[in-house]
Amino acid sequence: MTRALIIVDVQLDFCEGGSMAVEGGSDVAGGITEHVIAHGQEYAAVVATADWHIDPGEHWSDQPDFVDSWPVHCEAGTAGAEFRPELAGALDHVQAVFRKGQYAAAYSGFEGSTEVHGEQIGLAEWLRERDVTEVDVVGIATDHCVRATALDALAQELDTTVLLHLTAGVAPETTEAALEELRAAGATLRG
């Protein structure tokens, strides 16, 4: 069994002060760094995902419904798309960043890609090449991108654990619904 840590979307726009701030986001960033420093040696790989929108179409809206459309966030190359500074210690251990959502909505880290030897490679293939069979998922937001990434990890037949103390959700109702969905799909919820 080979375990990887997937750090989901711990970006400035998703934390306090950002365009789509999630309460507790900066605390989650600091907690992830502490976790990686204390437990990094337990992982064969540590990766991060990031929204990296260029023109995601109807995903951005001046009048968002907060279901399918959202305020402008994580625009490629802007400060809002950068990782939280509290995450810096964890980023020292990150082997690859998978950027997603350039031209469409993308919630799951498995929709992202990174460059390897001049080629774009997706998260599932990257993990398979390293014989990863188990993943821990942390980050923002529990009820959106963490949920989607964990569900896709399960679909890739990876033993999937969500470390709840290292996630932050947008709203209690949607977070609880996401946790129920994850439990039903076979994810382990810890912390």
Side-chain angles (χ1 to χ4, degrees):
M1 299 280 202
T2 303
R3 182 173 291 277
L5 177 67
I6 303 174
I7 302 168
V8 178
D9 297 3
V10 183
Q11 295 167 269
L12 289 171
D13 272 347
F14 295 138
C15 295
E16 294 84 350
S19 65
M20 286 181 36
V22 176
E23 187 176 333
S26 57
D27 288 342
V28 162
I32 291 170
T33 290
E34 291 173 12
H35 178 78
V36 170
I37 290 169
H39 301 282
Q41 72 283 357
E42 298 169 20
Y43 295 104
V46 178
V47 301
T49 71
D51 267 11
W52 194 251
H53 297 311
I54 296 169
D55 180 7
E58 295 176 7
H59 184 63
W60 279 350
S61 175
D62 292 333
Q63 299 176 334
D65 63 15
F66 297 96
V67 176
D68 296 309
S69 61
W70 307 88
V72 173
H73 62 279
C74 298
E75 185 174 359
T78 66
E82 298 302 318
F83 291 111
R84 280 293 303 191
E86 296 89 342
L87 195 66
L91 292 174
D92 291 342
H93 299 267
V94 167
Q95 294 158 280
V97 175
F98 293 83
R99 291 190 167 130
K100 59 190 174 67
Q102 286 88 336
Y103 298 100
Y107 294 91
S108 170
F110 286 87
E111 296 176 80
S113 65
T114 195
E115 189 174 309
V116 177
H117 305 300
E119 307 264 331
Q120 291 296 311
I121 183 172
L123 179 55
E125 183 179 354
W126 193 94
L127 293 171
R128 270 195 304 276
E129 286 179 355
R130 285 148 185 84
D131 298 320
V132 170
T133 57
E134 304 174 44
V135 294
D136 287 348
V137 182
V138 299
I140 304 170
T142 315
D143 38 351
H144 295 284
C145 296
V146 168
R147 172 195 152 276
T149 300
L151 289 172
D152 280 356
L154 289 163
Q156 292 293 323
E157 300 183 354
L158 296 166
D159 182 357
T160 303
T161 300
V162 179
L163 303 180
L164 296 177
H165 66 292
L166 298 175
T167 68
V170 173
E173 314 79 47
T174 52
T175 297
E176 190 50 46
L179 297 181
E180 287 302 318
E181 184 179 6
L182 288 166
R183 275 188 204 97
T188 300
L189 306 179
R190 197 165 3 118

